[in-house]
Amino acid sequence: MNVLVINSGSSSLKYHLYNMEKEEVLAKGRVERIGMDSSILTHEVDHEPEMREVSEILDHTTAIKKVLDMLTHRQYGVLTNINDIQAVGHRVVHGGESFSESVLIDQSVKLEIRKLFDLAPLHNPAHMMGIMAVEINLPDVPQAVVFDTAFHQTMPPKSYLYAIPTVLYRKHKIRRYGFHGTSYDYVSKRTAEFLERPMNKLKLIICHIGNGASCAAILEGKSYDTSMGMTPLEGLMMGTRSGDLDPAIVPYTINKEDLTLNEVNSMLNKHSGLLAVSGISSDMREIVEAMNDGNEAAKLAFEMYAYRIRKYIGAYVAAMDGVDAIVFTAGVGENSAQLRKEVCQGLTFFGVELDEERNEVRSSEPRRITTKGSKLSVLVVPTNEELLIARDTYQLVLNQPAAVESISNE
Ligand code: AMP
């Protein structure tokens, strides 16, 4: 079965085409600048040079049409016919309390996703545009949605409730949801395989440190707590997001700087974090480079970033009354040996002994970065959110009643 995975944003769209029998990526790419002139489609097939096409793509329906044309292109394509796509899986950021697992799309699912627009105004409407665009281009192909929040629906109330009047939870669903769930789901399973231990016997702390960053305490295979909250602003310091701060700063800043609520919101989401403290960049590569060149502001930004990760790790050891492994994943977590070293330096009390050589190794495979004698293991486990979306979609389509019937009739 071939599964097309779509991650649809408001002006961009990423795609991965998987052959599920081999779990192999046949082609991948992205469309950027949707709705603007000179939109760019970038398409990549294994071992071939990346191919770029500039054209006018005014909406998501045209973007999906262009992707399908490319996938079936005589020279650059990998399929003879669009009917060779048997299912489509979408990433959806917010599933609220309605979805605790991936589901096939029907009218009621679309309605629920629409109801959640308020909770994720930047993401869910854009995902819906992707879903509708696929529906128009591939009307007979089943579609599934995989939610970033679903994995965290196992959190107990003491983790997910804010200590504010409960009427706000009852009326407006103001609570912590957590994000990066697709990544935590994938990485926790991969970690259990690597450790050759059953998931339901493990206490894991996973640090998904990318452009957005969060930590999660995963107890016996289930999310027990995570650092992001009602929105992805809470928790760790990130590239451009502040992470945790005293909420009283919001009205205080509004008064002192004569700002509007929207301006403060934008400041906390887009102009804070590494970017604000370093004054240089939101990209960890540039921060590390500047720090190593002696830039003091970059050094402070780096230290604050690592210190906050370490504090969450400490909190989650206490939350789960122990931990079997700490895992780093995502762009920074997988690639920055220096950041991992800075975080681990403060974890000696828990028995972490970093192996400096192993920490420097680059690999796309899971690996241990602590010494043989280290009481507590620290691992790097590369994430693969697209593969998890493809797997969930594949399973949902295989298990839908019509598919079972047609298999049993063969
Ligand atoms: P992600 O959101 O998981 O795609 O992560 C993207 C982020 O990873 C980028 O913004 C970079 O800051 C970071 N990154 C990628 N490669 C490196 C590297 N070699 N060292 C430090 N950070 C990196």
Side-chain angles (χ1 to χ4, degrees):
M1 184 191 292
N2 294 324
V3 174
L4 181 63
V5 173
I6 300 286
N7 184 350
S8 173
S10 55
S11 65
S12 69
L13 182 152
K14 290 188 200 139
Y15 62 94
H16 285 72
L17 180 69
Y18 278 90
N19 171 282
M20 290 315 293
E21 282 71 28
K22 296 186 194 149
E23 287 205 339
E24 180 182 60
V25 179
L26 301 176
K28 63 179 178 180
R30 59 189 182 276
V31 185
E32 289 159 290
R33 296 174 55 83
I34 299 173
M36 302 170 217
D37 53 0
S38 42
S39 314
I40 306 160
L41 190 156
T42 313
H43 178 76
E44 206 183 316
V45 178
D46 212 12
H47 306 306
E48 299 283 335
E50 202 178 75
M51 132 85 201
R52 269 165 70 94
E53 188 186 87
V54 178
S55 63
E56 191 182 60
I57 301 179
L58 289 180
D59 55 30
H60 286 65
T61 306
T62 317
I64 292 287
K65 169 92 175 57
K66 289 272 182 196
V67 170
L68 297 176
D69 287 348
M70 192 52 86
L71 291 173
T72 51
H73 192 280
R74 245 196 300 158
Q75 192 179 351
Y76 307 111
V78 287
L79 303 173
T80 45
N81 195 302
I82 56 166
N83 295 331
D84 293 338
I85 298 171
Q86 283 94 8
V88 179
H90 294 265
R91 173 188 181 223
V92 171
V93 163
H94 222 304
E97 287 190 323
S98 313
F99 300 103
S100 55
E101 54 190 18
S102 306
V103 289
L104 284 170
I105 297 180
D106 59 16
Q107 287 307 332
S108 64
V109 169
K110 281 190 284 191
L111 195 69
E112 280 303 315
I113 296 174
R114 280 186 202 283
K115 281 190 200 158
L116 296 164
F117 279 7
D118 265 0
L119 279 176
L122 298 180
H123 293 101
N124 277 25
H127 302 321
M128 187 52 89
M129 287 196 274
I131 292 168
M132 298 315 291
V134 171
E135 200 171 291
I136 291 166
N137 281 285
L138 297 169
D140 300 321
V141 176
Q143 299 193 68
V145 272
V146 179
F147 300 95
D148 269 13
T149 50
F151 184 72
H152 298 298
Q153 280 296 300
T154 51
M155 285 194 292
K158 67 182 172 190
S159 302
Y160 73 69
L161 285 177
Y162 290 109
I164 56 177
T166 49
V167 64
L168 293 173
Y169 169 58
R170 286 199 306 276
K171 268 175 78 179
H172 306 297
K173 295 290 169 207
I174 296 177
R175 52 158 281 181
R176 309 181 64 254
Y177 291 95
F179 297 85
H180 296 137
T182 318
S183 177
Y184 289 125
D185 192 357
Y186 177 85
V187 172
S188 55
K189 285 175 181 147
R190 197 86 179 87
T191 302
E193 277 168 21
F194 178 81
L195 295 173
E196 296 180 342
R197 303 254 314 263
M199 183 95 104
N200 61 6
K201 296 266 182 313
L202 281 176
K203 293 174 180 178
L204 299 176
I205 295 174
I206 302 184
C207 308
H208 176 113
I209 314 295
N211 229 340
S214 68
C215 288
I218 298 173
L219 182 62
E220 297 167 354
K222 296 191 175 119
S223 177
Y224 186 72
D225 204 347
T226 190
S227 59
M228 282 180 171
M230 184 173 101
T231 77
L233 183 57
E234 190 180 338
L236 300 176
M237 173 174 161
M238 305 177 217
T240 63
R241 287 174 234 164
S242 64
D244 293 335
L245 83 171
D246 182 342
I249 291 171
V250 175
Y252 193 81
T253 311
I254 287 175
N255 281 337
K256 290 283 176 192
E257 289 285 313
D258 198 19
L259 295 175
T260 65
L261 251 184
N262 276 347
E263 284 166 337
V264 173
N265 197 27
S266 166
M267 175 191 88
L268 297 176
N269 276 289
K270 297 184 186 154
H271 307 285
S272 296
L274 284 176
L275 177 64
V277 180
S278 72
I280 296 174
S281 170
S282 61
D283 191 314
M284 184 53 89
R285 283 166 290 202
E286 289 173 33
I287 299 294
V288 168
E289 211 179 291
M291 174 175 72
N292 294 344
D293 284 345
N295 184 305
E296 284 300 322
K299 182 165 180 273
L300 176 62
F302 179 82
E303 284 175 358
M304 281 172 67
Y305 190 91
Y307 178 65
R308 287 174 175 219
I309 297 171
R310 204 189 298 151
K311 282 209 293 189
Y312 264 98
I313 291 173
Y316 289 165
V317 172
M320 295 191 289
D321 192 15
V323 61
D324 294 301
I326 295 168
V327 185
F328 285 96
T329 194
V332 183
E334 289 169 33
N335 293 304
S336 179
Q338 213 161 332
L339 189 268
R340 293 193 298 259
K341 184 175 168 185
E342 179 77 11
V343 173
C344 289
Q345 261 166 4
L347 299 176
T348 52
F349 180 77
F350 297 134
V352 169
E353 196 177 279
L354 192 73
D355 183 319
E356 302 245 355
E357 242 171 74
R358 286 186 188 178
N359 187 36
E360 294 292 337
V361 171
R362 286 184 167 270
S363 163
S364 55
E365 292 299 312
R367 59 200 183 276
R368 200 182 304 263
I369 59 168
T370 33
T371 61
K372 278 210 177 93
S374 180
K375 280 199 214 111
L376 175 59
S377 284
V378 179
L379 314 177
V380 178
V381 178
T383 190
N384 194 339
E385 291 161 273
E386 292 79 20
L387 178 57
L388 190 123
I389 296 172
R391 280 181 182 161
D392 274 13
T393 304
Y394 179 58
Q395 286 306 324
L396 283 164
V397 170
L398 271 189
N399 294 328
Q400 68 179 334
V404 171
E405 223 168 76
S406 74
I407 290 165
S408 59
N409 287 343
E410 274 172 11

